[in-house]
Amino acid sequence: MKGLYQKINFRKIVNLIVLKLSYWFSILTKKPHVWSKPTAVSIEPLNYCNLACPECFAGNGNLMRDKQLLEPDCFQKIINQLPAAVSYITFYFQGEPFLHPEFAGLVCIANKRNIFTATSTNGHFLTDRDKTKGIISSGLDRIIVSIDGTTQEVYEKYRKNGKLQKVIDGVKTLVELKKELRSKTPYIEIQFLVMAHNEHQVSEMKELAKSLEIDELTFKSTQIYEFENGSELMPKDEKYCRYYKDKDGKYYIKGKLKNRCWRQWSCVVITASGDVLPCCFDKNGAYSFGNVFEHTFNEIWHGKKANEFRKAILNNRKDIDICKNCTEV
């Protein structure tokens, strides 16, 4: 990944090698062995949003956690605990990151540790030139902007309360300011969730992305929580759908759910309130390993709850509810 390799050092490479060794040894023995530290961390700046997307817990009302914003001093406490081996921080979990009034400041703190930084946004706040200048100046390495349609009528079917033109104007502002500031970062990616109502606009999206002069366009399958009986969101084009319909009339996720998960060795999620979660599928923190404001990150990473979860993954992953919609191996 462009820019990431510049922030990799010998210590981080050794950590990754040891992580892989412990991961495969754990698969062979069916017992969790964690000999090193995570290489990536997702940190939640806040957990609320300006949109109401139907499959997003922060937008559809299914997020049961209290509204929370991660204060810079609390983030500093988290970053101070993270191992030196951490190479990548994603400033996103639930919520819209750019609603955080000091988002750029959080990124600056991470950059002082020479950590690759990324985020994902619905793009509605990029037209604020001062805010966007601050984001560029913070050193943010990568930004993903969600655009799921080329017309307002199609776009708003999923991005409820969203304004397509505002997002497009925001991307233009970001590209323009990068040139003005002569900055190579952030790397700009537009992400298009392919659904039944917008799959006919895939070609149009390619043209739009080209005109915007962004770095990358990706088409992504949509995660649907109640998928067993189908959904009006599922696209007809099978390559863009992560589910298939079986002979019994039910829908199933493509691929076999194996008793393994690289995420449980390589990365972790930390919420705005400090809870350490196994992955991004645990939206409501049902499987919290502990809280970084109550225990050290090291204690949590190697703790009983984390290892019990890893052991369950290795022995009978299909019984873990948050794993049933995942293809990670």
Side-chain angles (χ1 to χ4, degrees), residues 266-281:
S266 65
C267 54
V268 75
V269 173
I270 302 178
T271 69
S273 60
D275 285 328
V276 178
L277 309 182
C279 72
C280 60
F281 282 89

Side-chain angles (χ1 to χ4, degrees), residues 128-144:
D128 184 329
R129 291 180 65 87
D130 289 337
K131 190 180 188 76
T132 301
K133 271 188 178 181
I135 291 166
I136 295 171
S137 299
S138 74
L140 181 70
D141 292 292
R142 188 180 189 91
I143 183 171
I144 298 172

